Amino acid sequence: MMEIQHFTFNPFQENTYLLINGKKECIIIDPGCYFEEERKQLLTYIEKEGLKVTRLLNTHCHIDHVFGNKFVAETYGVGLEIHPLDKIVLDRSPEIGKMYNIPFEPSPEPFRFLEDGEKIHFGDDELEVLLAPGHSPGSVCFYSAAGKFLIGGDVLFYQSIGRTDLPGGSHQTLLNSIREKLFVLPDDVRVYPGHGQSTTIGYEKQHNPFLQ
């Protein structure tokens, strides 16, 4: 069974996730580490736990989720994996960083592209890639049926949803994604979002004001 470790990084308070299996292998999702002390915190944890980083995944490519891509790729020798529809967002990220007055080292180019419905094998575990656009054109979630959890990026939050006013965003598309891709999952699936506290599919079906 996978263990989930998370860190909250950068001025946007973004959640970075580490998935860890029984063999001490580790997938890093959305490394948002911007400041040197944040990178050190991530590095120290991985070293202390004796983890082997095997993959680098982005749920989407807004700047707060990609600040640490270059650091992780170079430190651990792993290639970046994103959905192809978010490549345009990745390409624009350095200029967006300057716009927010948060310059950063540009992310490496994707090593490979993720596909909707693809299964990511991780030791004895697997994750399914769910394409859920609306917050960004190529937003994906990573679903573990066995672990009953979803790494959701900025699609669904506790009593909220991802913003849709950024380039490539669409409010109706996001609502459709949540209803068609996430709300069909079991109610007890825990959602680990890109910001804020975790929630469950069942709770959001009942209480999310955007989806009533």
Side-chain angles (χ1 to χ4, degrees):
M1 196 60 71
M2 279 180 275
E3 176 194 339
I4 302 168
Q5 176 69 25
H6 99 277
F7 301 87
T8 302
F9 287 147
N10 72 54
F12 298 94
Q13 295 290 285
E14 179 267 355
N15 292 331
T16 292
Y17 291 98
L18 272 56
L19 302 186
I20 303 159
N21 68 16
K23 299 174 183 174
K24 294 281 193 179
E25 293 169 328
C26 169
I27 293 174
I28 299 179
I29 302 176
D30 292 352
C33 41
Y34 181 78
F35 299 108
E36 193 56 44
E37 57 266 31
E38 294 175 340
R39 295 177 179 196
K40 192 174 178 186
Q41 187 184 357
L42 185 66
L43 196 68
T44 301
Y45 181 84
I46 289 168
E47 277 179 9
K48 182 169 67 73
E49 296 297 317
L51 304 179
K52 182 189 179 193
V53 177
T54 59
R55 294 179 94 150
L56 166 59
L57 309 176
N58 284 166
T59 59
H60 65 296
C61 298
H62 288 146
I63 57 171
D64 48 330
H65 294 255
V66 306
F67 283 141
N69 277 358
K70 186 172 190 283
F71 169 72
V72 167
E74 290 183 353
T75 304
Y76 300 107
V78 286
L80 173 64
E81 299 175 63
I82 67 171
H83 192 277
L85 291 175
D86 242 46
K87 175 70 164 62
I88 188 169
V89 182
L90 187 72
D91 291 344
R92 286 179 182 156
S93 62
E95 63 186 86
I96 301 293
K98 285 177 189 156
M99 208 170 78
Y100 278 95
N101 202 26
I102 307 178
F104 67 100
E105 293 183 294
S107 168
E109 289 292 301
F111 159 73
R112 68 178 292 272
F113 288 116
L114 301 165
E115 294 177 28
D116 185 30
E118 173 185 341
K119 301 291 198 300
I120 293 174
H121 298 286
F122 182 45
D124 298 327
D125 301 293
E126 75 172 24
L127 298 167
E128 183 179 356
V129 178
L130 304 178
L131 178 61
H135 175 65
S136 77
S139 282
V140 294
C141 305
F142 300 105
Y143 173 52
S144 167
K148 293 190 172 180
F149 70 82
L150 181 91
I151 307 294
D154 290 358
V155 175
L156 180 67
F157 297 124
Y158 173 75
Q159 293 192 347
S160 190
I161 59 172
R163 61 186 291 184
T164 55
D165 59 335
L166 299 171
S170 164
H171 185 75
Q172 193 55 54
T173 301
L174 181 60
L175 295 180
N176 293 346
S177 290
I178 294 168
R179 290 192 176 107
E180 293 166 14
K181 291 295 186 78
L182 273 55
F183 279 4
V184 297
L185 302 175
D187 283 354
D188 59 349
V189 168
R190 182 149 292 278
V191 179
Y192 293 96
H195 304 268
Q197 69 186 76
S198 69
T199 184
T200 64
I201 294 292
Y203 182 88
E204 295 310 315
K205 279 185 187 173
Q206 291 291 319
H207 300 288
N208 195 304
F210 292 91
L211 292 142
Q212 298 309 306

